[in-house]
Amino acid sequence: MIMSKIKQRIVGKDRGAIFAPSDFFDIGSRASVDQALSRLANQGAIRRLTRGLYDYPKLSPRFGALAPSADDIARAVARKDNQVLQPSPAMAANQLGLSTQVPSNPIYMTDGPTRTKKIGRQVIQFRNASPKTLVGAGSMTGTVFQALRYFGKDCVGDQVIGKIARTLDAKDRAQLAKQSRHVPAWMHPVVQQIVAYA
């Protein structure tokens, strides 16, 4: 019964979804959920990525089950461990299209411990960071603050400001202005320019 309920919920998600046993504790006890997930993995219905982390893999007609993205894995790990997550400055700049550099190993800032997770071929680093670095974590504004850190105090030009401003909607801009009081002072005028950009 528990196994079929868990399977039903997994199949109801899009392929590529990643989950942990804690996502199913409303269905059954820890032991029964672990047992059901283990059976589903043995049947090939889901894939075990690492201890306590599974996915419902995307399938390619040519390559079979595809590896999940580092971003999806990092978010699932953070959710499982009840931690906040923020991309590193270099990753944030890349995600916003401000830099073409892609870090070879993705790095995420978190309020959890500094550690490295190896899942399949992916090596993901989690670095403990101060609350100031985690302002806006998990949202577009957090990514913007991190991208500004990547450029640094003296290298945020009009081009960067314009590109960021065009990426944000009115809600994001309002949020950016509100959260900017928690970030370093040098970012305040930059945020004002982004918010006021026409």
Side-chain angles (χ1 to χ4, degrees):
M1 187 70 185
I2 286 170
M3 189 164 137
S4 64
K5 276 185 177 175
I6 289 175
K7 188 174 182 180
Q8 205 176 348
R9 186 180 292 181
I10 289 167
V11 173
K13 291 182 181 295
D14 286 338
R15 280 203 170 264
I18 300 178
F19 37 89
S22 55
D23 294 329
F24 306 101
F25 288 168
D26 60 317
I27 293 175
S29 68
R30 170 90 210 210
S32 59
V33 167
D34 280 346
Q35 194 177 17
L37 289 172
S38 191
R39 279 191 188 153
L40 288 169
N42 291 338
Q43 288 172 9
I46 59 174
R47 175 172 58 181
R48 186 173 182 267
L49 296 172
T50 186
R51 189 164 166 260
L53 217 56
Y54 299 83
D55 78 338
Y56 182 42
K58 283 183 180 167
L59 299 174
S60 149
R62 193 168 162 200
F63 303 109
L66 300 174
S69 76
D71 219 38
D72 288 344
I73 293 171
R75 278 202 292 267
V77 169
R79 194 177 70 244
K80 176 172 94 75
D81 297 340
N82 203 16
Q83 291 162 359
V84 299
L85 198 70
Q86 187 89 292
S88 67
M91 281 182 67
N94 179 266
Q95 285 171 7
L96 291 173
L98 300 166
S99 160
T100 53
Q101 285 188 310
V102 183
S104 54
N105 288 339
I107 299 169
Y108 293 87
M109 319 316 272
T110 173
D111 57 350
T114 294
R115 58 193 170 146
T116 300
K117 276 219 169 263
K118 192 172 187 307
I119 294 170
R121 291 182 182 172
Q122 307 254 30
V123 178
I124 303 169
Q125 290 180 36
F126 296 89
R127 287 192 187 155
N128 180 265
S130 68
K132 238 181 186 173
T133 305
L134 297 171
V135 172
S139 69
M140 177 59 102
T141 55
T143 305
V144 169
F145 291 133
Q146 287 295 85
L148 294 178
R149 280 188 175 88
Y150 173 77
F151 288 100
K153 189 177 178 178
D154 303 314
C155 297
V156 180
D158 292 344
Q159 207 178 347
V160 169
I161 288 167
K163 189 145 192 180
I164 291 173
R166 287 191 295 275
T167 307
L168 305 179
D169 59 23
K171 195 174 151 200
D172 288 331
R173 287 185 191 205
Q175 186 85 330
L176 197 71
K178 193 175 163 189
Q179 292 175 340
S180 67
R181 62 176 182 267
H182 303 296
V183 297
W186 69 264
M187 287 190 192
H188 297 177
V190 177
V191 168
Q192 281 165 4
Q193 283 177 271
I194 293 169
V195 172
Y197 189 87

